[in-house]
């Protein structure tokens, strides 16, 4: 049975998943699950503790809040979301995410967030592994240069200076690692629909995805 309360958006880094997921959540009043942020938070905990059981314990002490349809993570009373968005955290999240222990420690946590309300889940394996029964599955892609440019602007807006050439290389390496890993590799679910956002603005992508969602949830 398909669950029309869940929309999954998977795809490579900087394909526009985050902005689309937020806009969809806002439009439909759904909760947003930013699974990449959870992998980043887990790797932040692992960097501090250097073993999985302590990292899991520290991770479970973090607080997750939804603020204006965005996921924020707090350690004690400090919002650490902007720290988690840094490139160095992305790099260690990418390495740790290929390990079974890491994925096992996060999977039920992600499913528990679904609850009874609507959920937009953004990541790499949302449609294939975490929510295989999701009623709408989108695989969002974009050309590599477009993605690097988007990530460059994102990082620049948060005051992080980065070199474009290094960024292109980092994104490419992370995508290759995500696709090649044995557990939960980045790939489209058989029942997903691919959307290419290279030449589209957010509003245009949102309209395409809303149309797909409405079609899937139409009463017959
Ligand atoms: O999406 P974001 O760039 O925040 O994700 C950080 C890293 O976490 C990715 O490079 C990927 O390796 C990992 N990740 C994952 N599975 C997910 C979401 C993110 O392996 N569902």
């Amino acid at each position: 049975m398909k669950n029309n309360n869940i929309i999954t958006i998977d795809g490579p880094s900087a394909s526009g998943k985050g902005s689309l997921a937020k806009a969809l959540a806002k439009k439909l009043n759904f909760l947003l699950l930013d699974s990449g942020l959870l992998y980043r938070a887990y790797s932040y905990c692992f960097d501090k503790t250097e073993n999985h059981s302590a990292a899991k314990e520290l991770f479970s002490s973090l607080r997750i809040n939804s603020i204006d349809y965005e996921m924020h993570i707090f350690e004690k009373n400090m919002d650490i979301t902007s720290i988690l968005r840094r490139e160095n955290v992305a790099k260690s999240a990418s390495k740790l995410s290929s390990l079974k222990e890491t994925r096992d420690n996060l999977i039920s946590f992600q499913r528990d967030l679904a609850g009874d309300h609507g959920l937009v889940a953004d990541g790499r394996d949302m449609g294939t592994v975490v929510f295989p029964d999701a009623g709408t599955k989108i695989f969002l892609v974009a050309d590599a240069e477009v993605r690097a440019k988007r990530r460059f602007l994102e990082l620049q807006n948060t005051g992080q200076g980065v070199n474009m050439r290094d960024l292109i290389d980092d994104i490419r390496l992370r995508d290759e690692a995500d696709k090649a890993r044995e557990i939960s590799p980045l790939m489209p679910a058989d029942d997903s629909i691919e959307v290419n956002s290279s030449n589209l603005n957010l509003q245009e992508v949102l309209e395409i995805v809303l149309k797909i969602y409405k079609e899937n949830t139409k009463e017959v």
Side-chain angles (χ1 to χ4, degrees):
M1 241 314 249
K2 294 276 177 204
N3 183 345
N4 280 331
N5 262 343
I6 302 181
I7 301 176
T8 60
I9 304 171
D10 290 304
S13 301
S15 54
K17 301 187 301 290
S19 318
L20 171 63
K22 180 178 173 181
L24 264 178
K26 207 165 187 167
K27 185 84 190 171
L28 300 169
N29 194 23
F30 279 15
L31 192 71
L32 174 71
L33 162 59
D34 179 349
S35 63
L37 191 64
L38 295 184
Y39 279 90
R40 287 166 184 259
Y42 186 84
S43 90
Y44 170 89
C45 295
F46 191 88
D47 284 347
K48 283 192 169 184
T49 56
E50 292 183 352
N51 78 77
H52 285 284
S53 71
K56 190 179 176 188
E57 204 177 311
L58 180 57
F59 179 82
S60 48
S61 75
L62 301 178
R63 199 162 41 83
I64 297 179
N65 256 0
S66 179
I67 303 176
D68 188 25
Y69 298 94
E70 253 175 41
M71 224 168 87
H72 282 250
I73 299 193
F74 292 79
E75 184 181 23
K76 301 202 172 90
N77 283 326
M78 193 170 95
D79 186 345
I80 57 167
T81 313
S82 61
I83 297 174
L84 300 179
R85 297 259 177 240
R86 291 182 186 155
E87 273 300 285
N88 62 319
V89 181
K91 273 187 197 162
S92 47
S94 168
K95 278 193 204 128
L96 272 177
S97 69
S98 66
L99 304 179
K100 185 173 175 344
E101 290 94 325
T102 307
R103 304 205 81 85
D104 286 352
N105 282 339
L106 290 181
I107 194 157
S108 54
F109 188 85
Q110 295 173 77
R111 287 188 179 140
D112 288 348
L113 279 178
D116 294 332
H117 43 74
L119 184 81
V120 181
D122 150 1
R124 307 292 189 289
D125 60 343
M126 299 294 100
T128 49
V129 175
V130 183
F131 301 112
D133 59 344
T136 298
K137 298 182 184 179
I138 305 296
F139 196 74
L140 192 65
V141 297
D143 299 343
E145 304 77 56
V146 174
R147 293 190 286 119
K149 210 165 168 183
R150 281 183 190 154
R151 181 53 59 86
F152 181 77
L153 292 174
E154 239 173 63
L155 292 171
Q156 230 182 18
N157 282 339
T158 59
Q160 295 179 66
V162 277
N163 171 294
M164 188 71 170
R165 203 56 272 150
D166 292 347
L167 195 60
I168 292 177
D169 288 346
D170 285 350
I171 287 182
R172 191 177 47 76
L173 285 175
R174 285 215 296 277
D175 286 347
E176 277 169 11
D178 284 344
K179 283 184 194 156
R181 71 175 170 237
E182 243 170 78
I183 317 166
S184 298
L186 166 65
M187 63 175 194
D190 290 340
D191 51 350
S192 67
I193 295 183
E194 182 176 298
V195 176
N196 189 321
S197 73
S198 302
N199 299 311
L200 301 174
N201 65 32
L202 174 60
Q203 191 55 33
E204 290 166 327
V205 181
L206 178 64
E207 276 163 24
I208 292 170
V209 174
L210 278 173
K211 210 167 147 200
I212 297 170
Y213 171 72
K214 283 186 187 143
E215 194 57 40
N216 287 345
T217 52
K218 200 163 64 183
E219 304 265 332
V220 276

